[in-house]
Amino acid sequence: MGAADAAWCVPCRRCLHHRSHFRPSLLSLCRSHELELLLQEGELLEALKLAETRTKAAPTGRGAGCSSPELCAVLVMAKCHLLGGQPISALPHALEAVALSEAASRHSHLARAHLLLAEVQLEISASRALALLRDVRPHVAQHGSTYEHAQLQLLTAKARLAAFSPYEEA
């Protein structure tokens, strides 16, 4: 597996079919994988701008307003702010992602949105993140992927460690 393959998340069939041998072209990726690739490459500003333009575009088709591309764009916007060290700016986007997921009854996206919200909360308040993780554990266990189960465990461990004071005298 080459270096280009390491940057891939779980690609859709279109992305797998069109990817080049060396580095995937952004033009051949589907919209959600394009945003993911920009995040993985550290292009936070470019990913944020692209995600903002996608949320401003008028949704079409069934369930307009709760479309999966809009939801993915909101998740990416929250992740961009979080990776940029601005958890307060990421909070409204994470809350919007949770609301969009609930409105559309997209349970797998809701699990992902809850985990992102917990990751944002971890940067703000470890006790609140731990309480949120405790509340969403059954939903993630039922509807989340294997990756999201592992992410739940990792975030729970980080929240528990952050809840302790750094130096406890014996």
Side-chain angles (χ1 to χ4, degrees):
M1 189 180 275
D5 292 329
W8 282 85
C9 54
V10 181
C12 66
R13 290 178 189 232
R14 181 171 175 253
C15 292
L16 271 176
H17 178 61
H18 289 86
R19 75 177 178 179
S20 66
H21 185 56
F22 297 105
R23 181 172 184 266
S25 167
L26 290 178
L27 297 175
S28 66
L29 295 175
C30 69
R31 290 181 173 199
S32 61
H33 291 119
E34 180 182 2
L35 290 172
E36 288 291 328
L37 184 63
L38 286 171
L39 275 179
Q40 290 175 5
E41 289 181 346
E43 301 288 337
L44 300 180
L45 186 59
E46 189 175 337
L48 185 61
K49 287 180 182 178
L50 187 59
E52 284 178 356
T53 59
R54 292 201 178 146
T55 57
K56 290 178 183 175
T60 59
R62 249 188 189 173
C66 299
S67 62
S68 185
E70 180 185 5
L71 179 59
C72 290
V74 171
L75 285 168
V76 167
M77 286 168 50
K79 193 69 173 178
C80 284
H81 285 293
L82 186 63
L83 291 174
Q86 300 173 340
I88 300 297
S89 299
L91 191 58
H93 299 297
L95 290 170
E96 183 182 356
V98 169
L100 283 172
S101 302
E102 286 176 345
S105 297
R106 296 187 183 270
H107 298 293
S108 62
H109 286 307
L110 183 60
R112 189 175 351 159
H114 276 303
L115 289 173
L116 183 60
L117 180 60
E119 194 173 353
V120 170
Q121 282 288 346
L122 183 59
E123 296 294 320
I124 299 168
S125 168
S127 60
R128 286 185 181 177
L130 196 55
L132 176 64
L133 288 166
R134 200 174 302 118
D135 291 343
V136 301
R137 180 177 298 278
H139 183 83
V140 173
Q142 186 174 7
H143 299 288
S145 66
T146 305
Y147 175 77
E148 288 157 351
H149 289 199
Q151 189 178 17
L152 175 73
Q153 295 299 323
L154 177 65
L155 288 172
T156 303
K158 284 182 176 181
R160 285 183 179 160
L161 286 173
F164 292 118
S165 61
Y167 301 104
E168 289 188 18
E169 296 292 325

